Amino acid sequence: QVQLVESGGGLVQAGGSLRLSCAASERIFTMAWFRQAPGKEREFVSAITWSGGGTYADSVKGRFTISRDVAKTTVYLEMNSLKPEDTAVYYCVARRGSVALMTPPGYEYWGQGTQVTVSS
């Protein structure tokens, strides 16, 4: 069982930046971030494969950057130019497969989530 622990959420003004981190208990092929706003379905944000290739939702492309450390156990999400609509609980997820999927059922492991609030 892979454990995922997120950190870095918080309150920020629109236009500001935050960096989320997620530490996994072991190396794992694919890691990603999903988010869920109140009253909305969980949605894909970004994913990164073993080789370091990143995939982004259109809504965050150009503003968010995903990366991972050399040990392949920690993933980061650098969020810039934040908007109020980015407000959500952000979940770190992981899967043993090598393909970066964009749907929640594709990921076996989920963190507890970290709240990101962007004020206008």
Side-chain angles (χ1 to χ4, degrees):
Q1 184 79 5
V2 178
Q3 306 295 322
L4 302 172
V5 180
E6 304 107 331
S7 61
L11 173 65
V12 64
Q13 288 188 332
S17 299
L18 280 176
R19 188 192 198 206
L20 304 183
S21 300
C22 173
S25 56
E26 62 183 77
R27 301 173 79 185
I28 191 160
F29 268 105
T30 302
M31 299 183 76
W33 293 92
F34 283 76
R35 67 185 181 186
Q36 187 167 22
K40 294 188 176 182
E41 293 188 353
R42 203 162 287 186
E43 65 173 357
F44 171 79
V45 176
S46 183
I48 189 165
T49 62
W50 189 262
S51 63
T55 304
Y56 299 92
D58 288 342
S59 59
V60 306
K61 202 170 291 183
R63 300 188 296 122
F64 291 11
T65 303
I66 193 169
S67 62
R68 67 191 305 176
D69 68 339
V70 175
K72 311 289 189 187
T73 59
T74 303
V75 64
Y76 306 97
L77 187 67
E78 187 76 36
M79 305 185 293
N80 298 315
S81 302
L82 283 162
K83 305 175 182 179
E85 50 263 44
D86 293 318
T87 295
V89 176
Y90 284 69
Y91 296 92
C92 175
V93 302
R95 65 186 304 266
R96 296 196 182 277
S98 59
V99 176
L101 302 177
M102 299 173 70
T103 56
Y107 292 85
E108 305 99 287
Y109 307 107
W110 288 71
Q112 293 295 313
T114 184
Q115 177 70 46
V116 171
T117 303
V118 184
S119 63
S120 56

